[in-house]
């Protein structure tokens, strides 16, 4: 039998070329200097309004390719049976049909080369779904490769190809010239010593921060390329006139403002964003929307590393030394100050919440002094939401934004990427997504990358059976990391020391509880050895404290050494879980409640309620309400979901305490109420009758964040509310729900049409299903084809493009005859601006 791959390559060019040509429209003259560049999808004859070739014809082409390849086989050479040849035809037809959706231009496709272009054609085809054998799949791959080769050859023979390629090169050169102008403005005359050091430092940054630890790969933790792992999330701008409450891609926050304080809950992606900005700046490879990073130098400053007991905050010259940068000793004298005086710095201050509360005022003074002394640099400061009060850095001209929870599409993207990286079947990911979307507790958990990674790992490890609450989720994760991982993979212990699961937990929670009690995010290695050394005699292990420590560090996957002589946990979430466990074992309930007003104790207290026996949990809830503070009452309300059993009288006490906080009076209160109370708040909220517009807006904001069926039903009561801010909030809140259901249930019934944020083509389809929308804000990457095909042109009057536009020029806006105003968040060339139709008012950032 002949090899299937060889057979797929045997078809003569004279046989393939005419078939390929049938897939495309007739060649047109000219240099392609049209208002919109010529995309491959525009060349395809079956992807247009007036078709000369239909999708069925694509399948016929695929059928002929398969038949002609099989005809070249001699007697007994056929690698596949007739029924499998039919499946190959369908798979090949599906791949070729993707030509109608490819948005790159013909010259870009040629630049990819045959292998990459074939991979692009295949990317939307799940070959496994066609049930092909090994030979069948190889036959399909070679046929697709052959077709790709002839398609690229066809592109190069088109009369407009060379002219359009030259035009594209001219545009790229113009963009390069603009980028160089920006770079020259930021780069002063540098000595060879400074330039050489910056190159070495940039290499260190890309190596140090170019990977992420993604929980759960290989049923443990794994390094994942930042290019693959980075997921663009959204940051919410607090209301400021008409622009308030809008969301922007998180990586664009420094394009909007020079100085930003970004809040986000544990595991929400703050540190990942810091890494992405650092690597993007250092690598000096910028897309169209990141010109604000050109020629700059990143400084990554994790607060837990640079602020240690008894030490002062570092001056710029000591930044690299403070974070343990290995090239710090090569730094030319005065280099950091020269960078900052030139306004070239990107200073990424990560984790204000990870330093003790009594040092945060000093941190604020340090930041004020630096921004005043070195103006013109970019600053991003991150913190958990309640670690510092609102407007904490307002005097230093910082703009406050909040990192949003992952939307439904973000969760789906993360799950797909995780399963692809883990080499798992796509069906597993779909099964998990279905579970998350139909189970309220799992939906509540899947709000950030850390929790999504844990859910993916456990769903795979437990063959589809998932814990339904946070305590059980963490417990299952610990079992997987500490016990099953090594046992099931049959890993030996090179040091000869095997520590039982229960003993590992006992030792790790001692380290965690010490860190929590001392308001620390990391400890000295000597302190860890001392704590372990005290515990070793009681846990009956044969080994020294050093042996035990090394085993925990190497095998648990929970401890790490971020710098020489320093120890911390993989993530703060695990530290809080383990510390709360020991707090309950040692009956430290007074210590827990007495720290209720401290933001970094919030998760510790809630998880302690989960660990506690019923009577202990009830006593904690009573004491939290008895503090008679807003925070205490909110913690008690949140604790109801963590307690396994609560007496009705205690539940009533907690609900009455939360009732005193309803309705919320500020945006912060609304967010905290939603986070703490869950669906419990719905029955306590009044309205819409008898409440003013601001209160109604805050109730809608709090309820929308719940994303549940009960929340959706509550929001229907506000659809006809006359308040403008209420209508605006309803229009902006659909990311928490299924877009189609929300569009039908809420948007279609609103009395006013304000800006609706669009995150994907699915959102555009949902808007189209209700007759279109007047004001649209496009967030994140988009395809022009999606906008022109899915937006109802007669309805659109205002459009905002918050992400870099993917094509040169804006002449495609002429497809919307009633469009009055367009705002583009990125810089435009004069030529691009001139292409906007004359009746449209254009504004840029």
């Amino acid at each position: 039998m002949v090899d299937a791959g060889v057979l797929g390559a045997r078809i003569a060019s004279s046989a393939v070329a005419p078939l390929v040509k049938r897939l495309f429209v007739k060649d047109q003259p000219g240099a392609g200097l049209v208002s919109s560049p010529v995309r491959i999808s525009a060349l395809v004859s079956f992807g247009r309004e007036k078709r000369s070739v239909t999708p069925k014809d694509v399948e016929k082409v695929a059928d002929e390719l398969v038949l002609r390849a099989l005809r070249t086989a001699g007697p007994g050479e056929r690698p596949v049976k007739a029924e499998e040849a039919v499946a190959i035809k369908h798979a090949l037809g599906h791949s070729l049909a993707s030509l109608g959706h490819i948005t790159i231009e013909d010259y870009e496709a040629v630049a990819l080369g045959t292998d990459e272009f074939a991979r692009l054609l295949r990317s939307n085809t799940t070959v496994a779904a066609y049930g092909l054998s090994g030979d069948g799949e190889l036959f399909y791959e070679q046929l697709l490769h052959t077709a790709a080769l002839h398609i690229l050859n066809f592109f190069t023979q088109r009369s407009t190809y060379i002219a359009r390629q030259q035009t594209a090169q001219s545009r790229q050169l113009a963009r390069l010239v603009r980028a160089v102008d920006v770079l020259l403005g930021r780069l002063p005359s540098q000595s060879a010593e400074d330039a050489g050091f910056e190159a070495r430092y940039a290499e260190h940054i890309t190596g140090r921060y170019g990977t992420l630890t993604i929980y759960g790969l290989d049923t443990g933790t794994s390094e994942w390329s930042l290019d693959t792992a980075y997921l663009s999330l959204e940051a919410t701008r607090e209301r400021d006139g008409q622009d308030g409450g809008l969301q922007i891609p998180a990586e664009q926050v420094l394009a909007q403002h020079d100085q930003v304080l970004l809040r986000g809950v544990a595991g929400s992606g703050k540190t990942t964003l810091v890494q992405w900005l650092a690597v993007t700046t250092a690598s000096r490879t910028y897309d169209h929307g990141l010109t604000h990073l050109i020629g700059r130098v990143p400084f990554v400053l994790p607060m837990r590393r640079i602020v240690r007991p008894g030490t002062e905050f570092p001056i710029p010259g000591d930044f690299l030394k403070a974070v343990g940068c290995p090239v710090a000793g090569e730094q030319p004298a005065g280099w950091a100050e020269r960078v900052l005086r030139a306004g070239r710095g990107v200073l990424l201050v990560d984790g204000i919440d990870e330093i003790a509360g009594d040092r945060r005022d000093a941190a604020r003074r340090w930041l004020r002094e630096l921004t005043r002394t070195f103006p013109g640099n970019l600053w991003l400061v991150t913190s958990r939401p309640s670690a510092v009060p609102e407007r904490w850095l307002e005097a230093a001209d910082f703009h406050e934004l909040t990192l949003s929870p992952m939307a439904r599409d973000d969760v789906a993207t993360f799950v797909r990427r995780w399963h692809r990286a883990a080499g798992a079947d796509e069906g597993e990911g779909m099964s998990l997504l279905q579970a998350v979307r139909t189970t309220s507790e799992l939906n509540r958990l899947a709000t950030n990358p850390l929790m999504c990674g844990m859910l993916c790992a456990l769903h795979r490890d437990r063959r589809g059976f998932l814990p339904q609450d946070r305590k059980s989720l963490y417990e299952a994760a610990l079992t997987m990391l500490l016990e099953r991982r090594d046992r099931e993979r049959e890993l030996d212990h090179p040091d000869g020391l095997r520590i039982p699961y229960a003993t590992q937990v006992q030792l790790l929670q001692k380290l965690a509880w010490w860190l929590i009690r001392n308001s620390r995010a990391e400890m000295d290695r000597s302190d860890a050895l001392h704590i372990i050394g005290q515990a070793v005699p009681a846990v009956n292990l044969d080994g020294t404290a050093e042996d035990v420590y090394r085993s925990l560090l190497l095998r648990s996957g929970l401890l790490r050494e971020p710098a020489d002589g320093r120890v911390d946990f993989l993530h703060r979430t695990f530290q809080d879980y383990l510390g709360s466990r020991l707090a309950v074992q040692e009956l430290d309930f007074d210590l827990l409640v007495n720290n209720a007003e401290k933001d970094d104790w919030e998760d510790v207290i809630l998880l302690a309620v989960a660990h506690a026996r019923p009577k202990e949990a009830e006593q904690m809830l009573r004491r939290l309400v008895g503090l008679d503070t807003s925070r205490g009452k909110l913690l008690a309300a949140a604790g109801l979901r963590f307690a396994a059993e609560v007496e009705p009288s205690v539940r009533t006490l907690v609900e009455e305490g939360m009732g005193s906080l309803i309705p919320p009076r500020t945006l912060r209160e609304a967010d905290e109420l939603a986070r703490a109370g869950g669906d419990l708040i719905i029955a306590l909220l009044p309205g819409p009758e008898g409440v003013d517009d601001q209160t109604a807006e805050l109730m809608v904001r709090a309820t929308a964040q719940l994303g549940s069926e009960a929340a959706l039903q509550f929001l229907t009561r506000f659809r006809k509310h006359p308040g403008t801010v209420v209508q605006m909030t309803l229009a902006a809140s659909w990311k928490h729900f299924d877009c189609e259901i929300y569009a039908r249930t809420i948007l279609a019934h609103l009395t006013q049409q304000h800006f609706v944020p669009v995150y994907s083509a699915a959102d555009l389809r949902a808007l189209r299903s209700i007759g279109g929308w007047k004001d649209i804000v496009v967030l994140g990457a988009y395809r022009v084809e999606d906008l022109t095909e899915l937006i109802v042109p007669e309805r659109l009057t205002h459009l905002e493009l918050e992400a870099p536009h993917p094509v040169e020029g804006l002449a495609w806006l002429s497809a919307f005859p009633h469009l009055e105003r367009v705002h583009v968040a990125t810089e435009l060339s004069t030529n691009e601006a001139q292409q906007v139709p004359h009746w449209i008012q254009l504004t840029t950032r």
Side-chain angles (χ1 to χ4, degrees):
M1 181 179 290
V2 73
D3 181 89
V6 173
L7 184 60
R10 277 188 182 177
I11 320 176
S13 296
S14 59
V16 180
L19 294 177
V20 165
K21 196 170 182 180
R22 280 163 49 184
L23 297 175
F24 298 93
V25 295
K26 188 177 180 181
D27 194 9
Q28 300 294 327
L33 295 175
V34 291
S35 59
S36 179
V38 178
R39 304 290 179 182
I40 291 176
S41 57
L43 300 175
V44 175
S45 56
F46 56 85
R48 303 165 66 85
E49 288 289 330
K50 297 177 181 177
R51 298 171 175 149
S52 57
V53 178
T54 68
K56 258 187 187 177
D57 296 319
V58 179
E59 202 156 282
K60 287 181 182 176
V61 170
D63 191 24
E64 282 194 56
L65 283 170
V66 172
L67 290 175
R68 292 187 185 193
L70 290 175
R71 282 193 205 118
T72 65
E77 284 190 333
R78 290 201 171 205
V80 295
K81 295 180 180 178
E83 55 269 24
E84 188 169 23
V86 174
I88 293 170
K89 175 194 74 172
H90 291 313
L92 184 61
H94 188 276
S95 297
L96 292 176
S98 67
L99 285 164
H101 307 290
I102 294 176
T103 57
I104 62 173
E105 297 185 45
D106 50 3
Y107 72 90
E108 293 173 315
V110 173
L112 286 177
T114 308
D115 291 342
E116 281 300 317
F117 186 61
R119 270 193 283 272
L120 182 62
L121 291 175
R122 178 183 168 151
S123 60
N124 290 321
T125 303
T126 306
V127 179
Y130 293 89
L132 304 183
S133 64
D135 280 341
E137 187 166 347
L138 186 59
F139 188 35
Y140 155 82
E141 292 280 4
Q142 188 57 59
L143 279 173
L144 184 62
H145 188 275
T146 300
L149 175 64
H150 285 275
I151 288 169
L152 296 184
N153 184 57
F154 170 77
F155 289 159
T156 63
Q157 292 174 342
R158 288 174 58 83
S159 63
T160 58
Y161 171 76
I162 299 297
R164 194 158 51 249
Q165 185 184 38
Q166 291 173 341
T167 301
Q169 289 173 342
S170 298
R171 287 170 175 161
Q172 290 172 347
L173 184 60
R175 282 201 298 270
L176 181 61
V177 169
R178 289 198 298 271
V180 169
D181 288 342
V182 172
L183 183 61
L184 290 174
R186 287 179 185 156
L187 278 177
S189 177
Q190 279 188 307
S191 67
E193 185 182 21
D194 278 7
F197 174 73
E198 279 190 24
R200 294 191 298 278
Y201 175 61
E203 186 176 347
H204 159 71
I205 290 290
T206 54
R208 168 67 179 81
Y209 297 106
T211 57
L212 292 176
T213 299
I214 299 296
Y215 183 89
L217 287 182
D218 195 22
T219 56
T221 55
S222 180
E223 294 296 312
W224 207 1
S225 165
L226 188 64
D227 290 338
T228 302
Y230 182 72
L231 182 68
S232 178
L233 299 177
E234 306 296 330
T236 303
R237 228 169 22 207
E238 294 299 350
R239 179 162 290 113
D240 179 19
Q242 289 297 314
D243 292 331
L246 283 181
Q247 293 188 313
I248 58 175
E251 61 272 15
Q252 290 287 329
V253 293
L254 293 179
Q256 304 282 333
H257 309 289
D258 286 350
Q259 297 174 183
V260 171
L261 171 61
L262 183 67
R263 301 176 189 268
V265 299
S268 59
K270 301 184 296 296
T271 300
T272 302
L273 175 62
V274 164
Q275 287 187 225
W276 187 89
L277 288 169
V279 170
T280 301
T281 305
S283 63
R284 301 184 179 181
T285 53
Y286 316 102
D287 70 23
H288 195 45
L290 296 171
T291 54
H292 58 288
L293 299 179
I294 291 176
R296 295 188 184 272
V297 178
F299 294 90
V300 182
L301 304 172
M303 292 301 284
R304 68 177 181 275
R305 300 280 305 281
I306 67 175
V307 182
R308 300 178 183 174
T311 63
E312 296 296 323
F313 289 83
I315 60 174
D318 292 334
F319 282 169
L320 303 193
K321 179 181 177 183
V323 299
C325 176
V327 298
E330 305 173 28
Q331 178 179 332
W335 168 78
E337 288 82 359
R338 287 192 290 276
V339 169
L340 297 184
R341 283 198 197 96
R344 296 176 53 225
V346 179
L347 297 105
L348 305 166
V349 182
D350 190 27
I352 289 291
D353 56 284
E354 294 185 352
I355 61 174
D358 58 5
R359 300 214 66 185
R360 291 174 192 167
D361 281 342
R364 176 166 54 178
R365 290 192 296 272
W366 173 69
L367 288 167
R368 283 178 181 170
E369 187 62 29
L370 285 173
T371 54
R372 191 163 39 237
T373 306
F374 301 104
N377 296 284
L378 301 181
W379 289 82
L380 178 71
V381 179
T382 74
S383 174
R384 287 195 187 186
S386 54
V388 292
E390 289 184 21
R391 299 179 176 146
W392 188 66
L393 285 172
E394 187 177 57
D397 294 326
F398 275 74
H399 295 262
E400 292 195 9
L401 293 93
T402 301
L403 202 57
S404 305
M406 292 171 71
R408 286 169 58 91
D409 288 344
D410 297 329
V411 174
T413 299
F414 183 96
V415 170
R416 283 195 299 270
R417 289 182 183 176
W418 189 97
H419 282 81
R420 193 181 305 128
D425 186 83
E426 290 184 18
E428 290 183 29
M430 295 305 296
S431 172
L432 173 59
L433 284 174
Q434 181 66 17
V436 168
R437 289 172 176 173
T438 57
T439 309
S440 59
E441 281 303 318
L442 292 180
N443 187 47
R444 188 185 299 278
L445 288 171
T447 57
N448 62 60
L450 175 73
M451 299 301 288
C452 282
M454 291 175 64
L455 287 171
C456 288
L458 289 169
H459 182 264
R460 189 180 188 204
D461 185 67
R462 294 157 66 102
R463 295 174 175 81
F465 295 97
L466 281 173
Q468 300 293 306
D469 61 84
R470 280 178 64 188
K471 175 180 174 290
S472 300
L473 187 68
Y474 295 151
E475 187 67 42
L478 284 175
T479 302
M480 185 173 65
L481 278 172
L482 301 182
E483 184 178 35
R484 295 182 58 188
R485 179 177 177 230
D486 283 359
R487 187 182 70 221
E488 294 181 0
R489 294 168 67 199
E490 299 179 349
L491 289 181
D492 294 328
H493 294 261
D495 53 11
L497 184 64
R498 182 178 182 85
I499 306 177
Y501 169 75
T503 304
Q504 290 185 72
V505 172
Q506 196 67 21
L507 293 170
L508 288 167
Q509 66 189 23
K510 287 180 181 294
L511 300 178
W513 189 221
W514 185 93
L515 286 167
I516 293 167
R517 291 199 321 271
N518 288 278
S519 300
R520 300 272 291 278
E522 61 182 37
M523 60 171 58
D524 290 333
R525 191 174 185 275
S526 58
D527 290 329
L529 288 172
H530 176 72
I531 293 168
I532 291 171
Q534 286 186 316
V536 163
V539 296
N540 194 27
L541 287 176
D542 294 328
T544 65
E546 177 69 30
D547 294 334
V548 174
Y549 169 77
R550 294 301 300 173
S551 180
L552 290 174
L553 181 68
L554 296 175
R555 306 282 7 121
S556 74
L558 289 178
L559 288 183
R560 63 182 182 179
E561 290 185 341
D564 187 38
R566 309 291 293 171
V567 186
D568 69 358
F569 278 84
L570 172 68
H571 198 278
R572 178 67 176 269
T573 300
F574 292 113
Q575 176 184 307
D576 290 347
Y577 173 82
L578 289 163
S580 66
R581 196 173 186 272
L582 186 58
V584 170
Q585 288 179 6
E586 297 188 351
L587 305 179
D588 280 333
F589 299 111
D590 287 346
L591 183 58
L592 289 165
V593 174
N594 290 342
N595 283 282
E597 297 302 311
K598 296 180 180 177
D599 60 279
D600 49 349
W601 282 70
E602 179 179 322
D603 284 347
V604 181
I605 291 169
L606 294 176
L607 289 166
V609 172
H611 286 300
R613 293 182 289 268
K615 294 301 178 186
E616 294 167 341
E618 289 171 359
Q619 184 58 28
M620 282 188 69
L621 296 177
R622 286 194 190 94
R623 289 205 54 197
L624 287 169
V625 175
L627 293 174
D628 199 27
T629 63
S630 296
R631 188 171 184 80
K633 294 172 182 175
L634 286 170
L635 277 174
L640 285 179
R641 297 202 307 274
F642 286 77
E645 180 183 330
V646 179
E647 285 284 342
S649 60
V650 177
R651 182 177 294 276
T652 299
L653 177 69
V654 173
E655 290 177 357
E656 289 175 348
M658 189 171 62
S660 67
L661 304 176
I662 291 176
R665 293 162 297 178
T666 66
L667 295 174
R668 170 77 55 92
E669 286 185 8
D671 294 343
E672 290 181 345
L673 194 63
R675 190 155 51 94
D679 281 358
L680 183 64
I681 69 173
I682 294 174
L684 302 173
L685 289 170
E689 298 80 10
V691 295
D692 58 41
D693 288 0
Q694 183 182 1
T695 302
E697 174 214 358
L698 294 173
M699 290 194 300
V700 167
R701 178 185 175 110
T703 307
Q705 292 180 51
L706 305 179
S708 64
E709 178 63 29
L712 186 64
Q713 291 306 311
F714 178 82
L715 294 179
T716 61
R717 294 155 53 179
F718 291 82
R719 296 181 303 195
K720 305 299 183 184
H721 194 286
T724 298
V725 289
V726 177
Q727 295 279 315
M728 290 175 65
T729 305
L730 284 169
S733 296
W734 72 336
K735 73 185 183 73
H736 302 290
F737 302 88
D738 180 277
C739 60
E740 291 185 6
I741 295 174
Y742 193 88
R744 291 196 308 269
T745 308
I746 303 295
L747 296 182
H749 302 275
L750 295 184
T751 58
Q752 304 172 28
Q753 286 203 7
H754 295 284
F755 276 117
V756 163
V758 165
Y759 304 90
S760 66
D763 291 345
L764 291 173
R765 291 188 191 95
L767 291 177
R768 189 177 184 86
S769 71
I770 60 171
W773 201 258
K774 191 171 77 169
D775 294 354
I776 293 177
V777 182
V778 179
L779 298 165
Y782 63 90
R783 300 191 320 153
V784 168
E785 290 88 343
D786 287 339
L787 301 188
T788 55
E789 293 173 11
L790 297 176
I791 294 177
V792 177
E794 295 77 19
R795 296 296 301 277
L796 187 68
T797 60
H798 300 92
L799 179 67
E800 286 198 20
L801 303 173
E802 291 288 338
H805 49 289
V807 299
E808 287 286 342
L810 292 170
W812 54 270
L813 292 172
S814 60
F816 305 103
H818 301 294
L819 187 58
E820 300 170 3
R821 188 169 69 246
V822 172
H823 175 79
V824 180
T826 54
E827 297 175 1
L828 296 176
S829 67
T830 302
N831 182 52
E832 288 173 321
Q834 288 175 346
Q835 292 180 25
V836 176
H838 65 86
W839 68 84
I840 298 175
Q841 178 187 347
L842 174 70
T843 60
T844 58
R845 67 175 177 87

